Amino acid sequence: GKKPVKWKKIVAKELTSAGGSMSLKALRKDCVAEVMAHPSHGDRKRAELTEEFDREMPRFKRFLVDGGKVSFAPEGEAEYLRSEWDVALEEKARFALSGSNRKQAEAQASRDALVARLIEQLDHFARTWLAESVSRSGPSLIIANAARMQRGASLVVPFGSSASLLGGPASDVDLAVLLALPMEEQRRFVEALARWHFARPLDAVEATPVPLARVPICNLRHDASGLAVDVSVGNTVAIDNTLLIRTYMELDEQARQLCALVKAWAKARRLSSTRHGTPSSYAWVLLAICHLQSCEPPVLPCLQSPEFAAAAAMRPRPDGMAGSCWVENTAQTHDGHCVSYAFCGSAAVARSLWAPEAAATLAGGGHRLAELLLGFFGTAAHLANGAEASPSYLAACASAGGLRPLSSCRCFDFGRAQHFAIEDPLEPHRDLGGMVTSATLATLQGEIARARDLLVAALPTHGETSGSAT
């Protein structure tokens, strides 16, 4: 027989992602589309599913239908979140006991192998392109990149969420080609890459250059595998940034889980689009790190503290780049700023020198993670409410170990309003919340308050002092 459709769960999911209320027509359309997209029900007709939805919907006591609008009944949303939380904990425990999910592991291994082949082909292309540049611009580019060419290591390295332990199986992959090229040559490079013919198994790759972006890139898509890749040139600051975030994630597994939850929440609530006036997912991760630095006792240290310098300088850098684990760099960013920074890029070194009082953060299980998430929304509310919540406006500064008065942070800009300031740890002149307007700030405030209320209702007990910022 046909596998039954879990209409109640699907309706609750759609309502939650829409803010708790939808028109019946829109809800019916979205729920049916969700079912048809599932492999177990892909052969069923839309009309049949629509009829089944209309038949099942009145049976669910968790929802109210009033004047063509559907919403959660009182306590219904909290009940849904609580049940989802219990399922998540159960799945987490089952995964830990079974050791691994074979199907997911196989898919990831296949994807990793494809990315490795892509890196090999991009490395070959980069070396060929550089050699051919002599006929156009003389030997200057080869001379500027001679040291990199002679190292023997690949000229292509991954960065971004896929390399920082925060990417999922479907995440896009970011690759940087380690060539020192002026902006005009970077544009030529991505345009030439888009014309290049990849070898099997990547011969079906579709390439689209974006030479006029702030960072020129070439988008690569491999439809057979679903792999999407952005290739850029240089971008050493982004590579260093990836190592910094990865080191934070390696320090504490629940820090990684919290950041993954925050990213998922921001995406589900449509709060991670800079184009639409909300912070990027990277900015939300930085805010989560700031919260964990601000907890009492702290869950994470500040890796940019000089206390780690001597020990980290004795170890080689773990990502294959030249240098030690005490990463020091002075570079010019794509927007023309000169930045200098230093940080510890080794979780082992940081762990040996930094001994938090609450070393048992890993032992708290799912409820400890829930408390950290609840505390995060408290920190986010503190930042979003600005002068209403503290004597002065605040900024999230991971480079300084948490929330700080905005006027003392290097991202402070006296000439404009900064509603939700998040300082970039390696490019401190950048306010990663600078796109937030007064209108989108109100949306953030409402969504943060809503998330806190739902968590408070869903958790059987919660300690405001556990995982809360000071």
Side-chain angles (χ1 to χ4, degrees):
K2 297 174 183 176
K3 186 175 180 180
V5 178
K6 297 179 180 179
W7 287 110
K8 185 190 292 187
K9 183 174 181 179
I10 294 169
V11 170
K13 178 183 173 184
E14 294 296 333
L15 281 179
T16 301
S17 66
S21 176
M22 292 180 72
S23 72
L24 178 59
K25 182 178 180 181
L27 179 65
R28 180 191 293 115
K29 178 182 176 183
D30 288 354
C31 287
V32 169
E34 176 83 9
V35 174
M36 293 182 70
H38 196 280
S40 301
H41 308 294
D43 58 342
R44 298 188 62 181
K45 303 296 184 185
R46 184 181 298 276
E48 177 192 354
L49 289 170
T50 300
E51 182 181 337
E52 184 176 323
F53 172 89
D54 289 339
R55 186 172 63 250
E56 295 294 325
M57 187 65 191
R59 301 180 183 178
F60 302 140
K61 303 275 199 274
R62 188 181 292 178
F63 315 110
L64 292 176
V65 181
D66 183 16
K69 280 279 190 183
V70 183
S71 61
F72 282 102
E75 303 300 323
E77 192 167 12
E79 179 190 344
Y80 166 67
L81 188 62
R82 187 182 300 114
S83 64
E84 289 297 289
W85 185 259
D86 290 341
V87 168
L89 291 181
E90 183 182 340
E91 289 178 351
K92 181 181 174 185
R94 191 186 309 120
F95 183 86
L97 290 172
S98 64
S100 65
N101 183 313
R102 181 178 296 176
K103 188 174 181 181
Q104 187 177 25
E106 288 174 354
Q108 188 63 49
S110 175
R111 176 187 170 90
D112 291 346
L114 197 62
V115 172
R117 293 291 299 274
L118 177 60
I119 287 175
E120 289 175 7
Q121 294 191 35
L122 287 173
D123 180 73
H124 174 70
F125 170 79
R127 294 174 189 275
T128 303
W129 182 88
L130 192 63
E132 293 174 350
S133 71
V134 174
S135 61
R136 183 182 68 252
S137 54
S140 59
L141 295 181
I142 290 182
I143 293 171
N145 291 280
R148 287 188 175 92
M149 298 288 284
Q150 291 168 4
R151 279 187 63 206
S154 175
L155 293 176
V156 183
V157 296
F159 68 97
S161 62
S162 64
S164 65
L165 304 182
L166 287 173
S171 297
D172 291 356
V173 175
D174 295 300
L175 297 176
V177 180
L178 299 177
L179 293 178
L181 301 179
M183 182 60 73
E184 191 55 38
E185 292 296 337
Q186 291 182 36
R187 291 177 177 139
R188 286 196 179 107
F189 182 95
V190 299
E191 288 172 337
L193 178 59
R195 297 190 296 270
W196 194 53
H197 296 290
F198 288 87
R200 295 185 65 184
L202 295 156
D203 48 335
V205 160
E206 293 183 12
T208 306
V210 190
L212 298 181
R214 174 177 170 268
V215 179
I217 60 172
C218 185
N219 301 127
L220 305 177
R221 293 199 65 85
H222 187 251
D223 288 338
S225 64
L227 183 66
V229 180
D230 288 340
V231 181
S232 56
V233 184
N235 231 352
T236 56
V237 176
I239 296 168
D240 288 347
N241 182 278
T242 298
L243 178 59
L244 175 63
I245 300 301
R246 184 185 180 98
T247 306
Y248 276 121
M249 299 303 100
E250 289 177 338
L251 270 169
D252 190 311
E253 171 60 17
Q254 289 200 352
R256 187 191 67 79
Q257 292 175 356
L258 176 69
C259 289
L261 281 173
V262 168
K263 282 184 65 176
W265 166 78
K267 181 179 180 181
R269 305 305 299 166
R270 299 179 178 89
L271 302 176
S272 56
S273 170
T274 56
R275 214 157 39 104
H276 296 102
T278 56
S280 65
S281 60
Y282 165 58
W284 285 111
V285 166
L286 288 175
L287 181 55
I289 290 172
C290 285
H291 166 65
L292 294 171
Q293 291 172 329
S294 303
C295 287
E296 186 55 46
V299 178
L300 291 178
C302 173
L303 291 175
Q304 290 171 269
S305 170
E307 68 179 295
F308 300 118
M314 302 297 291
R315 298 195 182 195
R317 187 166 165 157
D319 60 357
M321 299 284 286
S324 73
C325 286
W326 183 246
V327 179
E328 292 185 277
N329 192 17
T330 297
Q332 185 166 352
T333 64
H334 287 277
D335 55 7
H337 285 81
C338 183
V339 295
S340 295
Y341 51 81
F343 65 89
C344 174
S346 166
V349 170
R351 201 177 286 117
S352 68
L353 295 176
W354 183 74
E357 295 174 25
T361 56
L362 290 176
H367 291 296
R368 167 63 178 168
L369 182 58
E371 290 165 2
L372 289 175
L373 183 60
L374 181 60
F376 164 79
F377 286 119
T379 297
H382 207 53
L383 181 65
N385 293 332
E388 299 174 13
S390 61
S392 62
Y393 284 95
L394 299 171
C397 301
S399 63
L403 297 187
R404 294 291 181 269
L406 175 59
S407 58
S408 69
C409 295
R410 287 171 288 179
C411 68
F412 177 54
D413 185 346
F414 183 77
R416 65 186 179 89
Q418 291 176 275
H419 300 288
F420 199 72
I422 302 173
E423 182 182 279
D424 189 303
L426 302 190
E427 299 179 62
H429 61 280
R430 292 182 65 201
D431 173 10
L432 300 175
M435 76 297 298
V436 176
T437 64
S438 56
T440 54
L441 176 65
T443 300
L444 292 181
Q445 290 170 331
E447 290 289 350
I448 291 166
R450 173 181 176 276
R452 287 190 76 190
D453 291 345
L454 286 172
L455 272 171
V456 168
L459 293 174
T461 59
H462 66 273
E464 291 288 349
T465 58
S466 182
S468 60
T470 54

